[in-house]
């Protein structure tokens, strides 16, 4: 199995006890692009702001022209929230911060 076919299990804060298998390379690329752009203190960053900030750093090989970046951003967001790595500030629109975990 090549690196581009390898799968990883992810969770979702909105569906406890549900695990989904996704492409590991794309997940890790999105995670590695998202975490550095998120602030560690409030008020946080909206999902749209995070997407705009991470797109220039996203792998063009895996996400040519930002293709499917929105779906992968949401998948990574929900998994990292389930693991406590990022959190919402509780206000609308959703604003994300790193927790330090």
């Amino acid at each position: 199995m090549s690196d581009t076919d390898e799968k990883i299990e992810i969770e979702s804060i909105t569906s406890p006890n549900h695990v989904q298998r996704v492409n590991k390379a794309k997940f890790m690329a999105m995670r590695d692009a998202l975490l550095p752009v998120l602030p560690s203190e409030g008020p946080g960053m909206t999902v749209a702001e995070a997407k705009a900030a991470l797109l220039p750093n996203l792998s063009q090989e895996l996400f040519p022209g930002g293709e499917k970046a929105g779906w992968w951003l949401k998948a990574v967001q929900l998994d990292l929230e389930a693991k406590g790595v990022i959190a919402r500030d509780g206000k609308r629109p959703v604003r994300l911060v790193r927790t330090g975990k």
Side-chain angles (χ1 to χ4, degrees), residues 68-83:
K68 305 279 189 209
W71 187 92
W72 283 97
L73 172 56
K74 183 55 76 171
V76 169
Q77 172 199 335
L78 295 174
D79 180 70
L80 295 181
E81 282 186 272
K83 291 175 169 68

Side-chain angles (χ1 to χ4, degrees), residues 16-92:
N17 304 315
H18 177 75
V19 176
Q20 186 173 356
R21 293 178 53 79
V22 298
N23 181 284
K24 182 178 181 179
K26 288 185 177 185
F27 179 88
M28 299 302 284
M30 180 58 73
R31 187 195 72 177
D32 292 347
L34 174 62
L35 287 175
V37 302
L38 290 180
S40 58
E41 296 179 357
M45 182 179 276
T46 67
V47 176
E49 291 169 339
K51 183 178 178 184
L54 69 78
L55 280 176
N57 303 319
L58 198 55
S59 166
Q60 287 300 304
E61 181 180 327
L62 296 173
F63 301 96
E67 185 177 304
K68 305 279 189 209
W71 187 92
W72 283 97
L73 172 56
K74 183 55 76 171
V76 169
Q77 172 199 335
L78 295 174
D79 180 70
L80 295 181
E81 282 186 272
K83 291 175 169 68
V85 176
I86 64 175
R88 299 177 193 202
D89 74 353
K91 300 174 188 162
R92 297 242 183 239

Side-chain angles (χ1 to χ4, degrees), residues 1-8 21-26:
M1 179 180 291
S2 72
D3 287 345
T4 58
D5 295 331
E6 191 175 348
K7 301 287 185 188
I8 186 172
R21 293 178 53 79
V22 298
N23 181 284
K24 182 178 181 179
K26 288 185 177 185

